Amino acid sequence: MATKVAQNTADATKRFDRHAEKLSLLPHHKESERASATTAVQALFVTPRDPVIETADGGRLPAVPLNEAQTLNKLKSEAEGRPSDAGLAAIGDAEAEHSKHTVTGQLAPNEVLEGGASEHKSSQSTEPEATLGSATPPSRTNPLFPPLPLYGPPTFMRNVHCNLFRCTSFFLSLGFLAVIVLGSAFTSIPLMLRHINLRLTGKDPDARRPFHEEEKKRKRARREAAKAWKERRRRRNSMDKAGDDSEEGDVGQSDGYTPTEGGDDPLICDVGYYARRVGLDIEEFKVQTEDGFIIQLWHVFNPKEYSPVSAEARRHHEPVVFPEKHIENGHVNGASGAQYRDGNRRYPVLLVHGLLQSSGAYCANDEDSLAFFLCKSGYDVWLGNNRCGFDPQHEMLAYSDPRMWAWNIRQMGVMDLPAIISRVLSETGFPKLGLVCHSQGTTETFVALAKEQRPDLGSKISVFCALAPAAYAGPLIGKMYFKFMRIISPGMFRIFFGIHAFIPFMMTMHSLLPGKLYGALGYRVFSFLFNWTDDRWEQDLRDRMFQFAPVYVSAESMRWWLGRECFAKQRCILATREEGQLEDEEDEDNDDSLFAGKSSRHTSSDDLSYKAARSRGRTAWYDEQVPPMAFWIAGSDDLVDGRRLLRRFERGREPHVRLVHSKIIEEYEHLDVIWAMDAIEKVGKEVREVIWRTASKESRDLCRIPVNCEDVRLD
């Protein structure tokens, strides 16, 4: 009997080793110390549907398909002589309720999972001593989030395949990009001819711009400030050569902040430089996600009251979010926590950027940059960037490894956002922060907070301010070039755009072209793609705005947005197209019933409203852990449909969400919410007030009152 048990254990160990090899960093035949240290040992579930691989040395490898993670843990249990299905039959009430729903609603009672078991037959144990088998979550492929491809450790054949994809995608994606550039050039010809005609007739083609006079005024002021800066530099250099030690103080701005950079704008991709032009500065922190990516977090500060911390203190921590006592430790030892005293602290605010951008987008408008405005208003401002960005880094993977790029919006929401929030709270010592997101930043937050993703993240956010919220597709998704990406198969998509970064040639051009040429080209291309104009932006700053885009993103993430399976097909981030149509029909029926009920003697319209609200809330995306939300919707936005999202909340489909503010700015396009010349008046000041209004009393008591928020009462 003992011999049979030993034989079974030995067989299980061999099967475990074979399966672990294809999930490890390096193949096992490479008998080296590094290969042994980076062998896969178990799958850890960040959420019930998001496993990551832990290696022998404690490292993390990115997401793998659920069935592969389940198999690894099952074989590990068998190899260690433990029952592989321990705990699977027992289900707790919370987990049973959790497993009844998909992202988009309730499963049919007889729906079967990938593993073949009914949904109610499995659950995920949350006990710390539970077996790996009992940590296996229910497995189901959601149409909105199909499985990511599995790339094993580097072998000869895998390297051949990777190089083949890189070769085909280089030429095909370059051809696609060339078509886009040519299209933008051709569509610019009529505009150019109109401008020439106006010039020839003695008219100013820019006179039609809504802020034309203000633009001229600011341009003159900027030119005079640059001239004065050069003169001060010249006098200081002369004094240095003459050996004059007397100090000549820099002239501060009217708000009391002293710029430490100035002169003509060199158009560089450096948020710190543009912060110093307005009397602020920026330090960069590194953050490690739970799947091993190293991402950039920028901290905006006033150098007159804050000293940058050491490079060692800004390094990334372990891949753990919200560690034990992170609030207490951050309050005393954090970067901001250690430098601000109770009663004069700054309430933390995190800003997250949109698709193909970095958070430098919040720093491109001088004084009217949202990041600088909130900092000067009295907030502790942090700028979060998503994985890869300008500098792709992973704790274990190299740029050329396809596993480095096997991620989409789900991983950005479930992995990146919690890691960034955790680091900000650990550095500030607050239990919550205000979250401000634009475009794709709102998407990853909507996904992360969903009740089947990471709803507990809501307890760390005092308010979620969504600028141009991207949950439903706008009419732009039907454009020819987007339609092309939607009709090709996933295999053809990978042949065209590869399995690594999406059209990395764009970043190469960014490094080679002069800033002015790159800015002009970037505007024309993105204007052609996304159907917006610069009418409401300060034209003199437009080239600067495009120094912070594009960034490295994965081809898989672009396939999620534009491929045939996900957003472009479903036209929603958390509901299928069919579900959206059913909801529209249900809304119409409920509205008709409500209208009929108002004229009925026997049926109360309040009763009908209550029943309709209960019916609509059946497919809610969020549970009671969701934070308050505030929306600023661009009324002329063709890229996303913010009105439909607002209608979802107003019609009671999200009964747990408290919408504390909503506004539709009719004349605004997608980027106007952060770049329009009047964005601070129409968006920024309201964001400042909403963040303070929703902060807890305990946090408010610790903080200075933001500018012009003295009369803002707690919600």
Side-chain angles (χ1 to χ4, degrees), residues 4-25:
K4 184 177 181 181
V5 171
Q7 182 62 43
N8 290 341
T9 301
D11 292 342
T13 301
K14 290 179 182 179
R15 293 197 302 274
F16 171 75
D17 288 342
R18 284 197 299 270
H19 193 77
E21 180 175 13
K22 67 177 181 178
L23 302 178
S24 300
L25 178 67

Side-chain angles (χ1 to χ4, degrees), residues 94-147:
E95 288 297 333
E97 182 65 24
H98 179 89
S99 65
K100 286 179 184 176
H101 298 79
T102 66
V103 173
T104 57
Q106 197 166 16
L107 287 173
N110 60 349
E111 186 154 1
V112 176
L113 303 174
E114 288 175 341
S118 298
E119 181 85 10
H120 68 278
K121 290 292 185 181
S122 68
S123 68
Q124 183 181 17
S125 172
T126 57
E127 294 299 320
E129 300 302 321
T131 64
L132 288 172
S134 64
T136 300
S139 172
R140 179 177 187 271
T141 298
N142 191 286
L144 295 161
F145 303 105

Side-chain angles (χ1 to χ4, degrees), residues 570-616:
Q570 310 297 348
R571 297 182 178 249
C572 180
I573 61 171
L574 288 171
T576 64
R577 194 168 184 173
E578 292 75 15
E579 288 168 332
Q581 291 170 348
L582 288 173
E583 288 181 0
D584 288 344
E585 293 171 5
E586 190 178 79
D587 286 342
E588 291 178 7
D589 292 342
N590 286 333
D591 289 345
D592 291 342
S593 298
L594 187 61
F595 177 77
K598 289 181 179 179
S599 58
S600 171
R601 293 182 303 166
H602 306 290
T603 307
S604 164
S605 61
D606 289 339
D607 290 342
L608 284 169
S609 297
Y610 174 72
K611 291 176 181 177
R614 287 195 63 184
S615 172
R616 290 167 177 165

